[in-house]
Amino acid sequence: MRNITLAATQMPCSWDIDDNIARAEGLVRQAADTGAQVILLQELFETPYFCLEQDLQYFDMARTLEDSNVVSHFGALANELDVVLPVSYYERAGLTRYNSLAVIDADGSVLTNYRKTHIPQAPGYEEKFYFSPGDTGFQVVETKYGRVGCGVCWDQWFPETARSLVLQGAEILMFPTAIGSEPKKPELDSSGHWRRTMQGHAAANMVPLVASNRVGHETQGETEGQFYGTSFIAGYTGEILADADRVSEAVITASVDLDAANAYRDNWGVFRDRRPNMYQTLRSLDGMTAQNQ
């Protein structure tokens, strides 16, 4: 048996950055106090979700990995608490900017700096204005507690993300998120769809999965966003092991046996029976024209 305790958090964010960092630290400490070893914070928790509208002033918030206060702060906290922390931040690299995730090991070291692959563009989610498409590719890292593979928010809607990570050896999938209302479709509540999509990733790949989302009402210019929380942890057959509500600041935890998940995955035969040579369609955008290697 190789048991591990996973945690997801959720919280509202304000323009008091110090308060956001202190809130997030408090949730991490709470999770660690309950035995959590790998703890997921939500996407871009240092500030409100500034992508509701396009506004040049927010470009100045981007920082290099080395200069990011939030990365260095939570690196020290990971080392203190002996926990693994994927930390989402707004990265500046040269003349461009990325929606990035520094995966911090339990000794405080940054194992990898993942740059979000899929960048959305929709009313209330104007991310293509702020971020370039990630250039790192999907990454899996060996942490103190197991092999972790992460995507960021919009990445979670693509089965290719989860499958690519598990093929590289991920034993745990983690997705920090910022999702809620749709300004042009106020009647739409995507929370159930959001969850079921990722439960499918867990079930199809037979790995546990953690998703962390923010809560609260935020406004930017004339656009309002209501974030619906519902952070959750799924087991390796897709079942919900722990979940949070739509409005509360929260910490949730669940324990999983990674050896049991690995044995189940091997026994089921899905990865044995894959036919990569038959998947050329996936190398095209239009479903017909495969791209050159």
Side-chain angles (χ1 to χ4, degrees):
M1 296 176 64
R2 188 157 50 104
N3 289 320
I4 183 173
T5 300
L6 307 172
T9 69
Q10 61 181 39
M11 69 181 208
C13 296
S14 71
W15 281 110
D16 185 337
I17 292 175
D18 290 339
D19 181 65
N20 294 334
I21 291 174
R23 276 176 179 261
E25 178 179 330
L27 295 175
V28 170
R29 289 187 180 277
Q30 183 180 338
D33 285 345
T34 63
Q37 298 152 300
V38 183
I39 303 166
L40 185 63
L41 293 157
Q42 65 211 36
E43 182 184 19
L44 299 172
F45 62 88
E46 192 174 7
T47 67
Y49 181 71
F50 53 85
C51 308
L52 293 177
E53 293 187 354
Q54 298 183 11
D55 192 330
L56 282 169
Q57 69 173 314
Y58 298 124
F59 284 176
D60 291 338
M61 297 191 307
R63 295 289 183 270
T64 66
L65 174 66
E66 295 75 19
D67 291 337
S68 171
N69 180 54
V70 72
V71 172
S72 61
H73 183 97
F74 285 90
L77 185 64
N79 182 53
E80 176 192 342
L81 300 178
D82 197 32
V83 297
V84 172
L85 294 175
V87 174
S88 173
Y89 74 106
Y90 189 15
E91 182 190 7
R92 177 188 294 274
L95 298 179
T96 195
R97 298 164 183 83
Y98 297 99
N99 188 336
S100 296
L101 189 74
V103 182
I104 302 172
D105 206 359
D107 62 358
S109 62
V110 176
L111 296 176
T112 192
N113 185 55
Y114 169 68
R115 292 168 173 167
K116 184 174 178 178
T117 299
H118 304 95
I119 308 298
Q121 183 73 27
Y125 302 91
E126 301 283 352
E127 293 199 18
K128 281 187 167 64
F129 181 74
Y130 294 99
F131 312 121
S132 293
D135 58 0
T136 59
F138 302 120
Q139 300 173 335
V140 173
V141 291
E142 184 79 49
T143 76
K144 180 176 180 178
Y145 302 112
R147 295 187 299 276
V148 174
C150 298
V152 177
C153 201
W154 193 229
D155 288 333
Q156 69 210 358
W157 292 94
F158 297 83
E160 297 90 342
T161 302
R163 181 52 57 91
S164 295
L165 290 169
V166 178
L167 281 171
Q168 292 181 71
E171 299 176 292
I172 307 158
L173 296 176
M174 309 194 90
F175 292 95
T177 302
I179 189 170
S181 58
E182 302 289 338
K184 295 296 184 181
K185 295 182 179 179
E187 74 285 356
L188 176 61
D189 179 1
S190 63
S191 60
H193 183 191
W194 174 74
R195 275 188 168 193
R196 289 188 295 272
T197 297
M198 284 183 282
Q199 286 178 260
H201 298 334
N205 292 286
M206 286 154 276
V207 293
L209 183 149
V210 184
S212 174
N213 189 25
R214 67 176 60 204
V215 294
H217 183 268
E218 298 182 13
T219 302
Q220 183 182 349
E222 298 180 356
T223 304
E224 298 183 0
Q226 183 69 42
F227 296 92
Y228 53 56
T230 64
S231 303
F232 70 96
I233 301 171
Y236 59 84
T237 62
E239 74 280 20
I240 298 291
L241 300 176
D243 60 351
D245 66 23
R246 299 177 65 95
V247 297
S248 303
E249 183 171 295
V251 172
I252 57 172
T253 63
S255 295
V256 295
D257 182 347
L258 296 184
D259 283 344
N262 290 341
Y264 187 92
R265 188 163 56 250
D266 285 344
N267 182 66
W268 205 253
V270 168
F271 289 88
R272 176 198 65 204
D273 295 339
R274 292 183 68 252
R275 297 288 306 281
N277 60 313
M278 304 301 289
Y279 305 152
Q280 294 301 308
T281 300
L282 297 180
R283 297 179 55 240
S284 69
L285 280 176
D286 60 13
M288 296 179 287
T289 307
Q291 303 299 308
N292 292 327
Q293 292 282 3

